[in-house]
Amino acid sequence: MSRLPDRLFPEAVPDVAGTAAALADPSRAAMCAALMDGRAWTVGELGSYAGIARSTTSEHVDVLAASDLVTRVRQGRHCYVTLSGPGAARVIEALGVMSASVLPTAHSLNAWTANKRLLAARTCYRHLAGRLGVSLAEHLHERGHLDSSWRLTDSGEDLLATWGLEKPLRSHGEACMDSTERRFHLGGPLGTALTQALFDRAWIARIGRSRAVKVTEPGREALAQAGLEGVLTYLDETTSNGAAG
């Protein structure tokens, strides 16, 4: 026989407490932040990132998987972990927006540089985020390439067609609140397609194993040719003057 709960409620509301509890641990929060790069990580890699033993990492992954926040995929003798999908990414980014603090980092030049790079440009799961992502979205709006509903206008379709996007032109965009900028970057299927196109054309590149990305020289040229040099101006100014967060 199944045991009745200690309390009964007037309505069958979602039990968000279970999901919140799964994220209510610094190690699991750090692991989820790492997985926001949209790639698959091994358990060992996540443990190294969070600074904990592999056995402890496996226990944390079990908790996250039980709440459908992550998915485990076995490939040969390795077990890979990914976020379960865009829904989990939205939850994590939204909580980041609401958070009034950050996890502590070492007082070192390496940590300061890593933090500065994340603030400048990074991936938010499969979207472009940070100052670069926010500035690109704002300039696309200002140039009339995105409308108020975050859909491409005719000029926006023409521009992205020259960037190699065809089928994704019919995809819709979404306003995704950026956890560090507190402004919107381009999310949704359109944001995913655009970010992937920038990677495919090597106009942006990842920096090491982190979520941080940089604009390459060909990428700078492409943005300038599209009349979006303001994106670069803002990024360069904030990167040279900004401090780590």
Side-chain angles (χ1 to χ4, degrees):
M1 292 180 60
S2 60
R3 182 175 177 273
L4 290 175
D6 295 331
R7 282 193 297 158
L8 298 176
F9 296 88
E11 296 179 331
V13 297
D15 182 12
V16 298
T19 302
L23 291 168
D25 178 273
S27 294
R28 292 198 289 272
M31 289 159 58
C32 287
L35 292 170
M36 285 289 281
D37 70 356
R39 295 179 290 184
W41 290 55
T42 66
V43 173
E45 288 169 340
L46 286 175
S48 178
Y49 182 86
I52 55 179
R54 192 183 190 286
S55 58
T56 305
T57 306
S58 294
E59 294 174 0
H60 284 311
V61 170
D62 288 341
V63 173
L64 294 171
S67 293
D68 293 326
L69 289 166
V70 304
T71 300
R72 284 173 291 201
V73 179
R74 185 159 292 281
Q75 186 80 22
R77 61 190 186 88
H78 290 293
C79 179
Y80 291 93
V81 183
T82 65
L83 287 183
S84 59
R90 281 194 292 269
V91 168
I92 294 166
E93 187 73 2
L95 288 174
V97 172
M98 297 179 66
S99 176
S101 61
V102 297
L103 294 176
T105 57
H107 296 288
S108 67
L109 178 60
N110 285 342
W112 183 87
T113 301
N115 291 336
K116 186 176 180 180
R117 287 171 172 170
L118 281 177
L119 292 172
R122 65 180 184 278
T123 51
C124 167
Y125 191 44
R126 294 172 180 166
H127 312 148
L128 191 58
R131 291 168 181 149
L132 176 60
V134 166
S135 182
L136 179 58
E138 290 179 349
H139 279 79
L140 288 173
H141 278 295
E142 291 171 4
R143 301 285 294 184
H145 300 317
L146 282 175
D147 64 21
S148 59
S149 298
W150 292 78
R151 289 184 178 274
L152 287 174
T153 62
D154 290 342
S155 67
E157 289 190 359
D158 291 340
L159 171 64
L160 296 197
T162 67
W163 288 3
L165 278 78
E166 296 179 1
K167 182 179 179 180
L169 294 179
R170 295 187 292 274
S171 301
H172 67 277
E174 296 175 0
C176 185
M177 178 63 75
D178 198 276
S179 62
T180 55
E181 289 297 294
R182 299 301 200 269
R183 293 181 289 162
F184 294 115
H185 60 249
L186 177 60
L190 180 59
T192 297
L194 175 57
T195 302
Q196 188 58 53
L198 297 178
F199 275 123
D200 290 343
R201 298 176 81 86
W203 289 351
I204 59 173
R206 296 189 185 278
I207 303 176
R209 181 61 182 170
S210 77
R211 286 194 288 153
V213 302
K214 63 181 179 180
V215 184
T216 64
E217 284 304 317
R220 288 175 171 270
E221 292 175 6
L223 288 172
Q225 289 174 2
L228 298 171
E229 59 274 0
V231 175
L232 300 173
T233 301
Y234 175 70
L235 179 65
D236 293 340
E237 287 176 349
T238 53
T239 300
S240 60
N241 298 328

